[in-house]
C-alpha cells in the first residue's frame, strides 16, 4: 500500500494484480441508508434512482433536462449510397438558442426498406467524414484533437482525413445486417479540451449559474446528453425504430455510452468498447489508469466532485459495477482487449460479474446465461449467451471487425427476436 501513497501522475501505474489493495465494493442491494433491497420493485423504484443520482453528483455531473421540442433539419439525402446498397442522410440537430443554436450533424446509413430498422448510434472521434471514404459526407470543420492519423492539422480536419477511421466502422456490413448506423462527431456536442465550461453544450446550457458547481456536468455527461438528444430525433423518425437503438462507444466514448445507457432508459442495448477507467473498469482496483491519473490528464471529463476520490477510491459511494447494474434489465455488452492493460480488462470483466445479481433479480439470464462465469474467459472466447455479454479479444486498444461481429450477433439476439 505504501507504494500507492506515492503514486502521482508522473509515476508508474499499477500493472501487477498483487499490488492491488484489498477493497470492498458498494453492495448493489444495500441503500445509502442501510436498507436491504429484496425485490425487483425496490431495486427499480428506490435503489436504481439513488445510484444514478450518486453517479450524477459524484462522477459525471448533472445534465439539464431534455428540451421540450426536437429541432432538426435535413441537410442531404442520397438514395443510392454505398454503390446503391443504402440510403445516406445527414440531419442537423439544433440545440439551445433559437437564433444561433448549437448544431450536431447526424450521418445515417440505412437499408432501402419500408420497414423501420433497428440502429446503432455511436459518436465518432474524427468527424463523420472519417468513418467512410464516401466523398459526399460533409467534412467537419469543428475543432479536432490532432490525431496520430494523417489528415488533421492545427486542430482541423483536412480532405486527407476522409475515411481515416474506416477500419473501425464496417458500414456496409452493419447495413447489410439490417441495422441503420447513426453517427455524430463528439466535438459537435462538446470539444474535447478543458475550456472551463465555455463552449459546446456547456456554453449553451450553463449549469447552475455564474460559477461552476462541483456537480456540474463534465464532457462525458455532455456527450451522453447529446446521444439522448439524437435518440429524441430517432424516436420521431419514420425509418428508424426508436425502441431498438443500441448505443455504442469506444474508450472515452465507451464511458459515454455506458453513462448514456444508464441515465436514459430508452436505449435498448448498450455497448462499451475498451472503456476502462470511469467506464466499465472498477475504480477501486486502481489498475492501469487510476482516478487521479484520469482527473489529471482530463480534468474536463468528470464533475469536480470526482476529484475527491483521487487516491481515495474507497470513499466512492459507487463503483462501476453499479453503472452496469443501472442499465439492467436491458442488454449490455462489455469488450476488452488483451493489450489494453491501461483500461484494466480484468476490472471490466469484474464489473459485469458484480452487476450479474441485479440482472438476475430483474428476471433476466444475467451474465453467462445459466450461471455467471467463475473466471475471465480465454482470449477471443466471447461470453454472449446472457443479457450481459463480454469478450476480451487479442490485440490493442481499438475497435475491430471482431468486436463488431460480436455486437451484431448480440444485437440480433436481443433486438430482432421474433416474439416481440
Ligand atoms: C486515454 C485515456 C483513456 C481513454 C483513451 C481514449 O488517453 O487515458 O481513459 O479514454 O484515452 O479515449 O482513447
Amino acid at each position: 500500500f505504501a507504494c500507492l501513497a506515492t503514486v502521482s501522475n508522473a509515476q508508474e501505474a499499477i500493472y501487477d494484480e498483487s499490488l492491488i489493495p484489498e477493497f470492498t465494493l458498494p453492495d448493489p442491494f444495500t441503500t445509502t441508508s442501510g436498507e436491504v433491497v429484496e425485490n425487483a420493485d425496490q431495486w427499480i423504484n428506490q435503489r436504481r434512482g439513488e445510484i444514478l443520482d450518486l453517479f450524477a453528483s459524484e462522477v459525471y455531473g448533472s445534465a439539464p433536462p431534455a428540451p421540450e421540442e426536437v429541432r432538426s433539419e435535413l441537410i442531404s439525402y442520397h438514395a443510392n449510397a454505398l454503390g446503391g446498397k443504402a440510403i445516406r442522410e445527414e440531419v442537423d440537430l439544433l440545440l439551445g438558442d433559437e437564433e444561433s443554436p448549437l448544431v450536431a450533424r447526424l450521418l445515417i446509413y440505412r437499408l432501402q426498406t419500408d420497414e423501420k430498422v433497428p440502429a446503432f448510434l455511436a459518436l465518432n472521434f474524427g468527424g463523420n467524414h472519417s468513418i467512410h471514404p464516401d466523398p459526399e459526407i460533409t467534412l467537419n470543420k469543428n475543432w479536432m484533437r490532432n490525431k496520430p492519423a494523417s489528415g488533421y492539422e492545427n486542430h482541423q480536419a483536412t480532405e486527407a482525413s476522409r475515411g481515416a477511421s474506416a477500419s473501425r466502422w464496417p458500414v456496409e456490413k452493419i447495413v447489410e445486417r439490417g441495422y441503420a448506423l447513426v453517427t455524430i462527431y463528439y466535438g459537435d456536442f462538446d470539444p474535447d479540451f478543458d475550456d472551463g465550461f465555455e463552449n459546446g453544450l456547456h456554453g449553451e446550457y450553463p449549469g447552475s449559474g455564474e460559477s461552476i458547481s462541483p456537480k456540474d456536468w463534465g464532457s462525458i455527461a455532455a456527450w451522453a446528453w447529446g446521444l439522448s438528444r439524437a435518440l429524441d430525433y430517432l424516436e420521431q423518425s419514420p425509418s428508424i425504430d426508436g425502441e431498438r437503438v443500441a448505443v455504442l462507444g469506444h474508450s472515452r466514448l465507451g464511458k459515454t455510452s455506458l453513462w448514456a445507457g444508464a441515465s436514459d432508459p430508452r436505449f435498448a442495448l448498450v455497448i462499451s468498447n475498451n472503456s476502462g477507467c470511469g467506464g466499465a473498469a472498477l475504480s477501486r482496483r486502481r489498475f492501469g489508469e487510476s482516478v487521479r491519473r484520469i482527473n489529471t490528464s482530463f480534468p474536463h471529463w468528470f464533475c469536480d466532485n470526482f476529484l475527491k476520490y483521487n487516491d481515495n477510491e474507497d470513499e466512492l459511494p459507487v463503483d462501476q459495477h453499479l453503472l452496469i447494474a443501472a442499465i439492467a434489465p436491458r442488454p449490455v455488452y462489455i469488450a476488452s482487449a488483451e493489450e489494453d492493460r491501461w483500461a484494466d480488462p480484468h476490472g471490466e470483466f469484474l464489473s459485469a460479474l458484480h452487476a450479474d445479481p441485479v440482472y438476475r433479480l430483474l428476471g433476466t439470464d444475467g451474465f453467462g446465461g445459466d450461471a455467471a462465469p467463475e473466471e475471465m474467459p480465454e482470449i477471443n472466447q466471447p461470453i454472449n449467451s446472457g443479457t450481459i455479454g463480454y469478450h476480451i479479444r487479442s490485440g490493442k486498444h481499438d475497435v475491430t471487425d471482431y468486436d463488431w461481429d460480436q455486437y451484431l450477433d448480440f444485437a440480433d439476439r436481443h433486438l430482432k427476436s421474433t416474439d416481440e
Side-chain angles (χ1 to χ4, degrees), residues 102-303:
L102 178 140
V103 177
R105 181 158 296 177
L106 277 65
L107 169 67
I108 304 172
Y109 283 101
R110 58 185 171 85
L111 272 189
Q112 295 152 336
T113 156
D114 292 337
E115 276 170 38
K116 284 193 175 196
V117 292
F120 285 93
L121 170 63
L123 297 174
N124 65 70
F125 282 102
N128 293 346
H129 65 275
S130 70
I131 75 143
H132 197 282
D134 184 342
E136 288 175 48
I137 303 171
T138 311
L139 188 83
N140 193 301
K141 297 279 169 57
N142 282 337
W143 185 94
M144 304 261 157
R145 283 161 63 232
N146 279 339
K147 310 250 294 178
S150 60
Y152 296 86
E153 286 162 21
N154 302 323
H155 297 289
Q156 293 289 311
T158 70
E159 283 290 333
S161 64
R162 290 193 174 279
S165 312
S167 68
R168 291 181 171 180
W169 302 88
V171 181
E172 284 81 356
K173 188 192 281 184
I174 296 166
V175 170
E176 274 160 22
R177 292 276 292 257
Y179 296 90
L181 174 66
V182 184
T183 187
I184 308 163
Y185 171 53
Y186 78 137
D188 282 4
F189 289 122
D190 197 38
D192 191 0
F193 62 92
D194 187 15
D195 73 327
F197 281 71
E198 293 277 318
N199 57 20
L201 284 173
H202 289 123
E204 208 61 53
Y205 298 89
S208 36
E210 316 78 66
S211 60
I212 298 165
S213 108
K215 282 168 59 169
D216 277 349
W217 54 340
S219 292
I220 291 174
W223 300 324
W225 193 83
L227 286 165
S228 286
R229 303 295 65 84
L231 183 55
D232 297 343
Y233 167 79
L234 297 177
E235 280 190 317
Q236 298 187 356
S237 156
S239 43
I240 289 171
D241 184 351
E243 292 186 3
R244 289 186 295 156
V245 175
V247 63
L248 171 151
H250 169 59
S251 203
R252 69 198 68 186
L253 299 179
K255 312 179 205 299
T256 303
S257 66
L258 288 173
W259 180 231
S263 58
D264 188 340
R266 297 173 302 164
F267 286 111
L269 190 151
V270 183
I271 300 166
S272 151
N273 192 88
N274 307 179
S275 62
C277 179
L282 291 175
S283 300
R284 278 170 175 75
R285 280 171 51 83
R286 305 146 169 96
F287 189 100
E289 187 170 33
S290 65
V291 171
R292 170 179 291 284
R293 294 286 287 249
I294 204 165
N295 275 331
T296 307
S297 313
F298 307 103
H300 58 297
W301 283 0
F302 300 90
C303 68

Side-chain angles (χ1 to χ4, degrees), residues 64-97:
E68 274 167 26
E69 49 158 358
V70 182
R71 290 182 290 150
S72 65
E73 198 180 323
L74 181 65
I75 297 299
S76 70
Y77 179 91
H78 186 10
N80 288 299
L82 306 181
K85 286 190 219 129
I87 293 170
R88 185 195 62 239
E89 291 165 296
E90 292 175 305
V91 175
D92 278 355
L93 270 185
L94 310 174
L95 294 161
D97 193 76

